[in-house]
Amino acid sequence: MSKVDFKINLTSAATLRQPTELVAQGLAAAADLADLEKVAARYAVAVTPDIAALIDANDPEDPIARQFIPSAAELVAQPGESADPIGDHAHSPVAGIVHRYPDRVLFKLVHVCAVYCRFCFRREMVGPGKATALSDAAYQGALDYIRANSEIWEVILTGGDPLMLSPRRLAEIMADIADIDHVRIIRLHTRVPVADPARVGPEMIAALKVKGATTWIALHANHARELTDRARAACAGVIDAGIPMVSQTVLLRGVNDNAAALEALMRTFVECRIKPYYLHHGDFAPGTAHLRTTLEHGQELMRALRGRVSGLCQPAYVLDIPGGHGKAPVGPSYLSQAHSLAPEGDRQAETRYRVADYCGDVHLYPPKP
Ligand code: SF4
């Protein structure tokens, strides 16, 4: 086991971190500066050059800006919003580990990201005033916990963004985890291939491959425009190295809450050889109500997607149940029970179902003889 020094490679000096810089670049209005300073004092701000270049400063509704440029709306917390909306703390047996399901753990190594998303469900745990990473003692304690729990088959590096580590540190950590016999899968959740694709070079890709475990990468992206040529090349490098990729998307008001935007995003993932995995309903993170939509609208969008794209392009629409009760698929359901159509007293009576097709037309199953 190596002693790990969590050296973090911060993004280039060109990353915009201050509201004054956002105003100077024309990405925020000078009139909003006082409010944005208040937001930035509470929640981290970072916009990499790759993301800044994607923003159309002339479009007040730009879906990229909505994800990364702070807003005064973040200062308003709604009832039900919580600093720990998906209940990580309730399932954390040791520092750095969340053990919610028997066969897998989250391993939160670092508390920094290349960019800071305005809707982040861990916004109270990442960013200014927080430790940048686990201490070495906590890291060793987390490894000991995984070692002692033989039912743990999958370790999910998340966070913060594990691709903020230098390739050398990441390779050491991957080796430490893969060295544990019962761990077979290491999954990394990252936004780096879209936010700072230059990080995903040959050294980083080599660090992701490890003897003794299979690596999967889950890419977080919410709009097709995020998959630029540079982002696509970074992902292709990972996949060409034999590392499979899946996607994670957060359903966000004004970003991707329409069928055309979701369709374009899911098609883009598949074209990039990234299997759509999750569409997350927005969590009750503080100051994020302006970016959430309703479950009914999410279901409507999933129905629309079913009619527009193949199964390959379908993510699972999921809700993290507040309080730490895990993820639940939230539909829509295409199946409902019909009343039995058999005559009363017929012992062979079958329960019939109503099944909706992709156009919304309803059919009986089994069909009537
Ligand atoms: S990359 Fe993930 S952890 Fe980091 S700010 Fe965005 S949502 Fe939060």
Side-chain angles (χ1 to χ4, degrees), residues 130-193:
K130 321 287 187 305
T132 54
L134 279 186
S135 67
D136 186 56
Y139 174 70
Q140 302 302 348
L143 280 182
D144 287 345
Y145 180 85
I146 298 170
R147 218 174 270 122
N149 286 274
S150 58
E151 74 276 22
I152 297 172
W153 173 79
E154 181 178 16
V155 173
I156 302 165
L157 305 185
T158 186
D161 197 316
L163 266 59
M164 294 299 284
L165 290 158
S166 70
R168 188 167 66 81
R169 302 292 184 263
L170 187 58
E172 289 168 353
I173 291 164
M174 296 288 289
D176 282 346
I177 299 170
D179 204 35
I180 300 170
D181 272 354
H182 51 267
V183 175
R184 300 293 164 82
I185 305 293
I186 304 176
R187 187 190 340 159
L188 295 94
H189 286 182
T190 184
R191 209 147 170 39
V192 163

Side-chain angles (χ1 to χ4, degrees), residues 113 115-117 120 160 191 220:
C113 300
V115 282
Y116 289 102
C117 312
C120 176
R191 209 147 170 39
H220 171 184

Side-chain angles (χ1 to χ4, degrees), residues 44 67-68 110-123 126 158-161 189-192 195 220 222 250:
Q67 296 182 61
F68 301 107
V110 296
H111 310 135
V112 292
C113 300
V115 282
Y116 289 102
C117 312
R118 304 328 303 164
F119 50 86
C120 176
F121 65 121
R122 296 209 175 101
R123 60 188 339 211
V126 295
T158 186
D161 197 316
H189 286 182
T190 184
R191 209 147 170 39
V192 163
H220 171 184
N222 303 318
V250 183

